CSV table of all heavy atoms in Angstrom, one decimal:
chain,number,residue,atom,x,y,z
A,1,GLY,N,0.8,-1.2,0.0
A,1,GLY,CA,0.0,0.0,0.0
A,1,GLY,C,0.8,1.3,0.0
A,1,GLY,O,2.0,1.3,0.7
A,2,LEU,N,0.3,2.3,-0.6
A,2,LEU,CA,0.9,3.6,-0.7
A,2,LEU,C,0.6,4.2,0.6
A,2,LEU,O,-0.3,4.0,1.3
A,2,LEU,CB,0.2,4.5,-1.8
A,2,LEU,CG,0.6,4.3,-3.1
A,2,LEU,CD1,-0.1,5.3,-4.1
A,2,LEU,CD2,2.2,4.2,-3.4
A,3,GLU,N,1.7,5.1,1.0
A,3,GLU,CA,1.4,5.8,2.3
A,3,GLU,C,1.1,7.3,1.8
A,3,GLU,O,1.4,7.7,0.5
A,3,GLU,CB,2.8,6.0,3.1
A,3,GLU,CG,3.3,4.6,3.6
A,3,GLU,CD,4.6,4.7,4.3
A,3,GLU,OE1,5.2,5.7,4.4
A,3,GLU,OE2,4.9,3.6,4.8
A,4,PHE,N,0.5,7.9,2.7
A,4,PHE,CA,-0.1,9.3,2.3
A,4,PHE,C,1.1,10.2,1.9
A,4,PHE,O,2.1,10.2,2.6
A,4,PHE,CB,-0.9,10.0,3.3
A,4,PHE,CG,-1.4,11.3,3.1
A,4,PHE,CD1,-2.6,11.2,2.4
A,4,PHE,CD2,-0.8,12.5,3.4
A,4,PHE,CE1,-3.2,12.6,2.0
A,4,PHE,CE2,-1.4,13.7,3.0
A,4,PHE,CZ,-2.6,13.7,2.4
A,5,GLY,N,0.8,10.9,0.6
A,5,GLY,CA,1.9,11.9,0.2
A,5,GLY,C,2.9,11.1,-0.8
A,5,GLY,O,3.7,11.9,-1.3
A,6,GLU,N,2.8,9.9,-1.0
A,6,GLU,CA,3.7,9.1,-1.7
A,6,GLU,C,3.2,9.0,-3.2
A,6,GLU,O,2.1,8.7,-3.4
A,6,GLU,CB,3.9,7.7,-1.2
A,6,GLU,CG,5.2,7.2,-1.1
A,6,GLU,CD,5.3,5.8,-0.3
A,6,GLU,OE1,4.2,5.2,-0.1
A,6,GLU,OE2,6.3,5.6,0.2
A,7,GLY,N,4.1,9.0,-4.1
A,7,GLY,CA,3.8,8.7,-5.5
A,7,GLY,C,3.9,7.1,-5.8
A,7,GLY,O,4.4,6.5,-4.9
A,8,THR,N,3.2,6.6,-6.8
A,8,THR,CA,3.2,5.2,-7.0
A,8,THR,C,4.6,4.5,-7.2
A,8,THR,O,5.0,3.5,-6.7
A,8,THR,CB,2.3,4.8,-8.2
A,8,THR,OG1,2.7,5.5,-9.4
A,8,THR,CG2,0.8,5.1,-7.8
A,9,ARG,N,5.5,5.3,-8.0
A,9,ARG,CA,6.8,4.7,-8.1
A,9,ARG,C,7.7,4.7,-6.9
A,9,ARG,O,8.4,3.8,-6.5
A,9,ARG,CB,7.5,5.4,-9.2
A,9,ARG,CG,6.9,5.2,-10.7
A,9,ARG,CD,7.3,6.1,-11.7
A,9,ARG,NE,6.7,5.8,-13.0
A,9,ARG,CZ,7.1,4.8,-13.8
A,9,ARG,NH1,8.2,4.1,-13.5
A,9,ARG,NH2,6.5,4.6,-14.9
A,10,ASP,N,7.6,5.8,-6.2
A,10,ASP,CA,8.3,6.0,-4.9
A,10,ASP,C,7.9,4.8,-3.9
A,10,ASP,O,8.5,4.3,-3.1
A,10,ASP,CB,8.2,7.4,-4.3
A,10,ASP,CG,9.0,8.5,-5.1
A,10,ASP,OD1,9.9,8.0,-5.8
A,10,ASP,OD2,8.7,9.6,-4.9
A,11,GLY,N,6.5,4.7,-3.9
A,11,GLY,CA,6.0,3.8,-2.9
A,11,GLY,C,6.4,2.3,-3.3
A,11,GLY,O,6.6,1.5,-2.3
A,12,LEU,N,6.4,2.0,-4.5
A,12,LEU,CA,6.9,0.7,-4.9
A,12,LEU,C,8.3,0.4,-4.6
A,12,LEU,O,8.7,-0.5,-4.1
A,12,LEU,CB,6.6,0.5,-6.4
A,12,LEU,CG,7.0,-0.9,-7.0
A,12,LEU,CD1,6.3,-2.0,-6.2
A,12,LEU,CD2,6.6,-1.0,-8.4
A,13,ALA,N,9.0,1.4,-4.8
A,13,ALA,CA,10.6,1.3,-4.5
A,13,ALA,C,10.8,1.1,-2.9
A,13,ALA,O,11.5,0.3,-2.6
A,13,ALA,CB,11.3,2.5,-4.9
A,14,ARG,N,10.1,1.9,-2.1
A,14,ARG,CA,10.1,1.7,-0.7
A,14,ARG,C,9.7,0.3,-0.3
A,14,ARG,O,10.2,-0.4,0.6
A,14,ARG,CB,9.2,2.7,-0.1
A,14,ARG,CG,9.1,2.6,1.5
A,14,ARG,CD,7.9,3.5,2.1
A,14,ARG,NE,6.7,3.4,1.5
A,14,ARG,CZ,5.8,2.4,1.7
A,14,ARG,NH1,6.1,1.4,2.4
A,14,ARG,NH2,4.6,2.5,1.0
A,15,GLU,N,8.5,-0.2,-0.9
A,15,GLU,CA,7.9,-1.5,-0.6
A,15,GLU,C,9.1,-2.6,-0.8
A,15,GLU,O,9.1,-3.5,-0.1
A,15,GLU,CB,6.7,-1.8,-1.2
A,15,GLU,CG,5.6,-1.1,-0.7
A,15,GLU,CD,5.0,-1.7,0.6
A,15,GLU,OE1,5.5,-2.7,0.9
A,15,GLU,OE2,4.3,-1.0,1.3
A,16,PHE,N,9.8,-2.5,-2.0
A,16,PHE,CA,10.7,-3.5,-2.3
A,16,PHE,C,11.8,-3.5,-1.4
A,16,PHE,O,12.4,-4.5,-0.8
A,16,PHE,CB,11.3,-3.3,-3.6
A,16,PHE,CG,10.8,-4.2,-4.7
A,16,PHE,CD1,9.6,-4.0,-5.3
A,16,PHE,CD2,11.4,-5.5,-5.0
A,16,PHE,CE1,9.1,-4.8,-6.2
A,16,PHE,CE2,10.9,-6.2,-5.9
A,16,PHE,CZ,9.7,-6.0,-6.6
A,17,ILE,N,12.3,-2.3,-0.8
A,17,ILE,CA,13.3,-2.3,0.1
A,17,ILE,C,12.8,-2.8,1.4
A,17,ILE,O,13.5,-3.6,2.1
A,17,ILE,CB,13.8,-0.8,0.5
A,17,ILE,CG1,14.6,-0.3,-0.9
A,17,ILE,CG2,14.7,-0.8,1.6
A,17,ILE,CD1,14.9,1.2,-0.7
A,18,GLU,N,11.6,-2.6,1.9
A,18,GLU,CA,11.0,-3.1,3.1
A,18,GLU,C,10.8,-4.6,3.0
A,18,GLU,O,11.1,-5.3,4.0
A,18,GLU,CB,9.7,-2.5,3.4
A,18,GLU,CG,9.8,-1.0,3.9
A,18,GLU,CD,8.4,-0.4,4.1
A,18,GLU,OE1,7.4,-1.0,4.0
A,18,GLU,OE2,8.4,0.8,4.4
A,19,GLU,N,10.4,-5.1,1.9
A,19,GLU,CA,10.1,-6.5,1.8
A,19,GLU,C,11.3,-7.4,1.5
A,19,GLU,O,11.5,-8.5,1.9
A,19,GLU,CB,9.1,-6.8,0.8
A,19,GLU,CG,7.6,-6.2,1.3
A,19,GLU,CD,6.5,-6.5,0.3
A,19,GLU,OE1,6.6,-7.4,-0.6
A,19,GLU,OE2,5.5,-6.0,0.5
A,20,THR,N,12.2,-7.0,0.5
A,20,THR,CA,13.2,-7.7,0.0
A,20,THR,C,14.7,-7.3,0.5
A,20,THR,O,15.5,-8.1,0.4
A,20,THR,CB,13.2,-7.7,-1.6
A,20,THR,OG1,13.5,-6.5,-2.0
A,20,THR,CG2,11.8,-8.2,-2.1
A,21,GLY,N,14.7,-6.1,0.9
A,21,GLY,CA,16.1,-5.5,1.2
A,21,GLY,C,16.9,-5.1,0.1
A,21,GLY,O,18.0,-4.6,0.2
A,22,ILE,N,16.2,-5.0,-1.3
A,22,ILE,CA,17.0,-4.6,-2.4
A,22,ILE,C,16.3,-3.3,-2.9
A,22,ILE,O,15.1,-3.1,-2.7
A,22,ILE,CB,17.1,-5.7,-3.4
A,22,ILE,CG1,15.7,-5.9,-4.1
A,22,ILE,CG2,17.8,-7.0,-3.0
A,22,ILE,CD1,15.7,-6.7,-5.4
A,23,THR,N,17.1,-2.6,-3.6
A,23,THR,CA,16.6,-1.4,-4.3
A,23,THR,C,16.4,-1.7,-5.8
A,23,THR,O,17.0,-2.7,-6.4
A,23,THR,CB,17.8,-0.3,-4.4
A,23,THR,OG1,19.0,-0.9,-5.1
A,23,THR,CG2,18.0,0.2,-3.0
A,24,VAL,N,15.3,-1.2,-6.2
A,24,VAL,CA,14.8,-1.5,-7.6
A,24,VAL,C,14.6,-0.1,-8.4
A,24,VAL,O,14.5,0.9,-7.8
A,24,VAL,CB,13.5,-2.2,-7.6
A,24,VAL,CG1,13.5,-3.6,-7.1
A,24,VAL,CG2,12.5,-1.4,-7.0
A,25,THR,N,14.8,-0.3,-9.7
A,25,THR,CA,14.4,0.8,-10.6
A,25,THR,C,13.0,0.5,-11.1
A,25,THR,O,12.9,-0.6,-11.7
A,25,THR,CB,15.5,0.9,-11.8
A,25,THR,OG1,16.7,1.2,-11.2
A,25,THR,CG2,15.0,2.2,-12.6
A,26,VAL,N,12.1,1.4,-11.0
A,26,VAL,CA,10.7,1.2,-11.4
A,26,VAL,C,10.6,1.5,-12.9
A,26,VAL,O,10.9,2.6,-13.2
A,26,VAL,CB,9.7,1.8,-10.6
A,26,VAL,CG1,8.3,1.7,-11.1
A,26,VAL,CG2,9.9,1.6,-9.1
A,27,GLY,N,10.2,0.6,-13.7
A,27,GLY,CA,10.2,0.8,-15.1
A,27,GLY,C,8.7,1.1,-15.6
A,27,GLY,O,8.0,1.9,-15.0
A,28,ALA,N,8.5,0.3,-16.8
A,28,ALA,CA,7.1,0.7,-17.4
A,28,ALA,C,5.9,0.3,-16.6
A,28,ALA,O,5.9,-0.7,-15.8
A,28,ALA,CB,7.2,-0.1,-18.8
A,29,HIS,N,4.9,1.1,-16.7
A,29,HIS,CA,3.7,0.7,-16.1
A,29,HIS,C,3.1,-0.4,-16.9
A,29,HIS,O,3.1,-0.4,-18.1
A,29,HIS,CB,2.7,2.0,-16.2
A,29,HIS,CG,1.3,1.5,-15.8
A,29,HIS,ND1,0.3,1.4,-16.8
A,29,HIS,CD2,0.6,1.5,-14.6
A,29,HIS,CE1,-0.9,1.2,-16.3
A,29,HIS,NE2,-0.6,1.0,-14.9
A,30,LEU,N,2.7,-1.5,-16.3
A,30,LEU,CA,2.1,-2.7,-16.9
A,30,LEU,C,0.5,-2.7,-17.0
A,30,LEU,O,-0.1,-2.9,-18.0
A,30,LEU,CB,2.7,-3.8,-16.2
A,30,LEU,CG,2.5,-5.2,-17.0
A,30,LEU,CD1,3.1,-5.2,-18.4
A,30,LEU,CD2,3.0,-6.4,-16.1
A,31,TYR,N,0.0,-2.5,-15.8
A,31,TYR,CA,-1.4,-2.6,-15.7
A,31,TYR,C,-2.0,-1.9,-14.5
A,31,TYR,O,-1.3,-1.9,-13.4
A,31,TYR,CB,-1.8,-4.1,-15.6
A,31,TYR,CG,-3.2,-4.5,-15.4
A,31,TYR,CD1,-4.1,-4.5,-16.5
A,31,TYR,CD2,-3.7,-5.0,-14.2
A,31,TYR,CE1,-5.4,-4.7,-16.3
A,31,TYR,CE2,-5.0,-5.2,-14.0
A,31,TYR,CZ,-6.0,-5.2,-15.1
A,31,TYR,OH,-7.2,-5.4,-15.0
A,32,THR,N,-3.2,-1.4,-14.5
A,32,THR,CA,-4.0,-1.0,-13.3
A,32,THR,C,-5.3,-1.7,-13.3
A,32,THR,O,-6.0,-1.8,-14.4
A,32,THR,CB,-4.1,0.6,-13.4
A,32,THR,OG1,-3.0,1.2,-13.5
A,32,THR,CG2,-5.0,1.0,-12.4
A,33,THR,N,-5.7,-2.1,-12.2
A,33,THR,CA,-7.1,-2.8,-12.2
A,33,THR,C,-8.1,-2.0,-12.7
A,33,THR,O,-8.1,-0.6,-12.3
A,33,THR,CB,-7.4,-3.4,-10.8
A,33,THR,OG1,-7.2,-2.3,-9.8
A,33,THR,CG2,-6.4,-4.3,-10.3
A,34,ASP,N,-9.1,-2.5,-13.5
A,34,ASP,CA,-10.1,-1.6,-14.0
A,34,ASP,C,-11.5,-2.3,-13.7
A,34,ASP,O,-12.5,-2.2,-14.4
A,34,ASP,CB,-10.0,-1.5,-15.5
A,34,ASP,CG,-10.0,-2.7,-16.3
A,34,ASP,OD1,-9.9,-3.9,-15.7
A,34,ASP,OD2,-9.8,-2.7,-17.6
């Protein structure tokens, strides 16, 4: 989940560090639930 004030890419990068301990580069948008 996103935290208040966070963009989607920054939130995803943070989640990867929290969950896996690694840094990622967020690339192409793939899909948003519709």
